Amino acid sequence: MKRSIALFVALVLVLLATFALAEQYTVGIGQFAEHGSLDNCRTGFIDGLAQEGIVEGQNLTVIYENAQADMGITQQIASQFAAKNVDLMVGIATPMAQACYNAADGKIPVIFNAVSDPVASGFVNADGINAGMITGVSDALPVAAQLATIRVMLPDAKRIGILYTTSETNSVSTIATYKSLCGEYGFEIEEMGISTSADIPLALDALLPKVDCLSNLTDNTVVQALALVLDKANTAKKPVFGSEIEQVKNGCIAAEGLDYVQLGKQCGIMAALVLKGEASAADIPYQIITEPSLYVNEAVLASFGITLNEELAVRAHAIQ
Amino acid sequence: MAQVIGVLEQGFIYAILALGVYITFRILDFPDMSVDATFPLGAAVTAIMISNGFHPWLTLPVSMICGAAAGAITGLIHVKLHVRDLLSGIIVMTGLYSINLHIAGRANVPLFNFDTMFKNTFVSGLPSGTQAYFPVILLFLLALLCKILMDLYLSTRSGFLLKATGDNPTLVASLAEDSGKVKILGLSIANALVALSGSVMCQYQRYFDISMGTGTLVLAVASVILGMQLLRGLRRLKATSAVIIGSVLYKGCVALALSMGLSPFDLKLITAALLLIIIVIGGKNRKVKYHA
């Protein structure tokens, strides 16, 4: 009996000791702007870490800063992370990830989130090998799937209009993909570049009469003005296709989109490997989220009088 | 300590910008909006030169020349075409956005794999303990050099005319000088400094982004006013020094707001509150001195 009590006490002590001695991690999360998809990346990331046993409040301290889309502040946030000597930096969206990678200076590992073109952003060399102590998950949009779905839903459509901000590299590279693929699905792409959200109303007035529908990218400026885009397009009776779930929730008709919570989660799992010292950020190959899901907004679908065919209906996630 | 160095580094970079804006905003009394585009202009020129193998130091004079040319265009539109000051700056700012995109080739150019003035074989050859301090020392010297050259210039005949044009254009006319020419010159010098600051910032952060100019003028004006209001009591201190200190203080306020650990929503509000507190406290000290 005595022996078993002693054993039990010893066991408890060992458990307590491992708990107390368990490595404490500090992670700096920098987010470029405030909007649904990027917020999803962040929550997904923290979930991903938790799944690997690194839990906020227990053995993880998260320093979260948001640059509110101010370029002057991105660099300052990143240098503060470096000054606080965090164990790992996370940059959500391209400019923030670049600022982190610069401030980390090869001394602190960096995970990028929601970067559509990691090669053009300088994180990955042209041969697909990480440029330094940086890795992450890219959010290249499933353009082919989107075009196929639009073809099925709008059999007579010829021209797709895309509104994008000329300052966003993500949008520029996605439009290139759209243009190279649109022929296969019998579409033409009519693009319209803007430089600030103030240009959106005029740009839409010029664009809408020329197209049969709009397709949104993950362009930050356009997404932030989505209500206006939808308002103008609905008045013109042109459906707007989105690029992820949040946009469909807000009134886009449908989207072959990415799940940003899942993207964040994958990043969190990568980060856990790096924090535990199981792999270096320089060696973990970056990933691309490829598996699209179809989201449809039933109310909008009904208002345009469109019904999904069987193939789409089976895999569609309906959003009220 | 590392945080203080970060604030100083970025403060000195923006100090060069603030020195330029000091010329237009305080000396010429000209609200020069073109700054929001000449800052990224310097950065775009730098990014494209460095990624094509030019020496990092060479980008500085080239950026300055481009900035000076842009400033001269603002001046020419204002003086020769009689467009209002604010509008001529806006016209140049709007047009330069496209030109900047053309120069850089795309909206975002990373420079992680290239040598810059802060990262090169010379710096990596320094003893490891001193490497961390290299950027801050270099930036301090650069800001100081700009300040000294500006002080020297302002004490020349041309510099005197520049000051007179803002304060008292009639005096300039009575000296048989063309105040329009002086304005164009002032705008060129100012935007040369702004583009220089953009070039240095681009090398410091190691990427160019087309949107890095947004809000530049506001930031610079805030630094100028902060420095000058706060240090007005110190008669011996030159305005140019006050501007540099103002820029560092401004960055310090942002850093403090960031490290307070409050909700990211409140970042700008806290920054604004800190700026207000500094200005008010600075104003109080001055009053005491006046009565004494």
Side-chain angles (χ1 to χ4, degrees):
Chain A
M1 186 63 187
K2 254 189 193 168
R3 229 168 114 184
S4 58
I5 289 174
L7 242 159
F8 179 72
V9 170
L11 197 75
V12 168
L13 278 177
V14 166
L15 269 174
L16 277 176
T18 42
F19 219 82
L21 291 175
E23 191 102 41
Q24 287 290 326
Y25 304 104
T26 308
V27 171
I29 303 181
Q31 188 175 317
F32 181 62
E34 196 82 52
H35 73 72
S37 327
L38 300 185
D39 292 339
N40 282 349
C41 281
R42 192 180 73 248
T43 42
F45 178 81
I46 294 171
D47 289 351
L49 278 177
Q51 194 182 314
E52 297 297 309
I54 299 178
V55 183
E56 190 176 6
Q58 289 179 20
N59 55 351
L60 171 68
T61 313
V62 172
I63 310 173
Y64 161 54
E65 301 289 0
N66 191 313
Q68 314 289 0
D70 185 335
M71 293 300 275
I73 291 180
T74 51
Q75 199 59 52
Q76 205 162 3
I77 288 175
S79 26
Q80 284 223 347
F81 288 162
K84 288 177 179 160
N85 206 10
V86 296
D87 297 304
L88 180 116
M89 289 190 211
V90 184
I92 304 179
T94 307
M96 195 65 230
Q98 284 175 320
C100 286
Y101 184 44
N102 179 44
D105 201 17
K107 295 180 187 91
I108 299 171
V110 179
I111 306 280
F112 64 77
N113 254 358
V115 170
S116 294
D117 198 337
V119 177
S121 308
F123 304 145
V124 176
N125 297 328
D127 55 8
I129 292 171
N130 303 2
M133 268 235 288
I134 183 161
T135 186
V137 180
S138 159
D139 66 342
L141 286 175
V143 175
Q146 175 95 340
L147 286 167
T149 301
I150 299 178
R151 180 42 76 217
V152 174
M153 287 175 69
L154 305 174
D156 304 321
K158 286 190 186 69
R159 286 166 173 261
I160 302 176
I162 301 180
L163 194 63
Y164 76 105
T165 318
T166 45
S167 61
E168 293 193 28
T169 19
N170 284 357
S171 306
V172 177
S173 56
T174 315
I175 286 197
T177 319
Y178 261 99
K179 282 191 163 169
S180 68
L181 293 175
C182 65
E184 286 176 38
Y185 299 89
F187 287 118
E188 281 172 48
I189 300 297
E190 192 77 44
E191 87 232 59
M192 179 71 77
I194 54 160
S195 52
T196 68
S197 59
D199 301 337
I200 292 178
L202 283 177
L204 281 171
D205 290 341
L207 182 62
L208 281 168
K210 291 194 267 182
V211 300
D212 300 303
C213 67
L214 292 182
S215 185
N216 269 346
L217 312 177
T218 46
D219 191 287
N220 290 304
T221 315
V222 176
V223 172
Q224 278 169 344
L226 187 60
L228 174 66
V229 175
L230 287 166
D231 194 41
K232 287 248 179 202
N234 287 339
T235 315
K237 301 204 164 32
K238 308 279 165 82
V240 180
F241 290 84
S243 54
E244 42 96 38
I245 183 168
E246 296 295 326
Q247 296 179 21
V248 179
K249 278 185 195 161
N250 288 324
C252 284
I253 187 164
E256 285 288 352
L258 305 175
D259 181 347
Y260 279 83
V261 177
Q262 187 55 39
L263 186 149
K265 219 175 232 176
Q266 260 170 264
C267 285
I269 295 166
M270 276 181 171
L273 282 176
V274 176
L275 285 173
K276 290 175 182 167
E278 287 167 21
S280 159
D283 301 329
I284 304 175
Y286 83 98
Q287 298 172 6
I288 306 174
I289 271 222
T290 44
E291 211 42 55
S293 314
L294 173 63
Y295 303 99
V296 293
N297 187 317
E298 289 191 318
V300 180
L301 213 56
S303 75
F304 279 95
I306 298 172
T307 41
L308 297 178
N309 71 4
E310 213 166 300
E311 180 247 336
L312 291 186
V314 171
R315 58 187 195 91
H317 301 272
I319 284 153
Q320 307 310 318
Chain B
M1 188 59 194
Q3 276 192 50
V4 176
I5 289 179
V7 167
L8 288 174
E9 286 171 353
Q10 292 172 44
F12 291 142
I13 298 177
Y14 284 111
I16 303 172
L17 160 80
L19 283 172
V21 170
Y22 167 73
I23 296 178
T24 48
F25 180 72
R26 275 314 268 252
I27 300 184
L28 283 178
D29 197 18
F30 190 112
D32 180 20
M33 289 292 290
S34 49
V35 166
D36 273 27
T38 45
F39 185 73
L41 170 67
V45 169
T46 304
I48 212 64
M49 282 181 72
I50 288 183
S51 56
N52 280 303
F54 286 92
H55 195 275
W57 285 101
L58 191 62
T59 64
L60 302 183
V62 177
S63 299
M64 288 181 83
I65 292 167
C66 295
I73 292 171
T74 309
L76 284 169
I77 292 176
H78 172 59
V79 174
K80 301 290 177 198
L81 303 179
H82 309 290
V83 177
R84 278 196 61 174
D85 47 9
L86 191 60
L87 194 58
S88 48
I90 292 175
I91 289 170
V92 169
M93 175 188 81
T94 310
L96 266 186
Y97 184 90
S98 298
I99 293 175
N100 287 345
L101 272 177
H102 276 293
I103 292 174
R106 52 201 168 99
N108 181 298
V109 181
L111 297 175
F112 298 121
N113 298 325
F114 298 94
D115 277 3
T116 66
M117 54 193 278
F118 305 106
K119 295 254 176 273
N120 48 47
T121 42
F122 168 73
V123 180
S124 47
L126 291 172
S128 58
T130 57
Q131 273 180 32
Y133 302 101
F134 180 78
V136 72
I137 294 168
L138 182 64
L139 287 166
F140 173 69
L141 293 176
L142 198 62
L144 191 68
L145 181 70
C146 291
K147 176 207 129 63
I148 292 173
L149 289 177
M150 217 168 109
D151 287 342
L152 287 175
Y153 171 71
L154 288 175
S155 59
T156 61
R157 179 183 153 79
S158 170
F160 169 75
L161 283 172
L162 191 70
K163 285 194 272 189
T165 304
D167 293 337
N168 188 353
T170 349
L171 176 68
V172 180
S174 72
L175 289 170
E177 292 286 346
D178 179 0
S179 69
K181 265 186 197 158
V182 181
K183 269 190 187 170
I184 297 171
L185 180 69
L187 282 163
S188 297
I189 299 172
N191 282 291
L193 286 168
V194 173
L196 173 66
S197 167
S199 168
V200 176
M201 190 64 203
C202 176
Q203 300 194 44
Y204 175 81
Q205 67 182 18
R206 286 195 285 170
Y207 67 92
F208 158 80
D209 195 286
I210 188 72
S211 56
M212 67 190 277
T214 316
T216 308
L217 181 65
V218 175
L219 191 149
V221 167
S223 305
V224 170
I225 296 177
L226 191 65
M228 299 203 54
Q229 282 283 106
L230 195 61
L231 303 166
R232 217 154 81 177
L234 302 170
R235 296 269 149 146
R236 282 217 197 129
L237 196 75
K238 284 217 168 78
T240 44
S241 313
V243 165
I244 295 180
I245 296 170
S247 168
V248 173
L249 278 177
Y250 184 89
K251 276 284 154 186
C253 286
V254 179
L256 197 60
L258 278 172
S259 40
M260 279 178 165
L262 297 163
S263 151
F265 275 30
D266 299 330
L267 175 65
K268 297 267 178 174
L269 186 63
I270 305 289
T271 314
L274 287 171
L275 288 172
L276 185 65
I277 291 168
I278 291 187
I279 296 249
V280 171
I281 292 176
K284 270 195 185 141
N285 285 340
R286 211 169 52 243
K287 257 182 210 154
V288 172
K289 270 185 190 139
Y290 272 125
H291 289 299

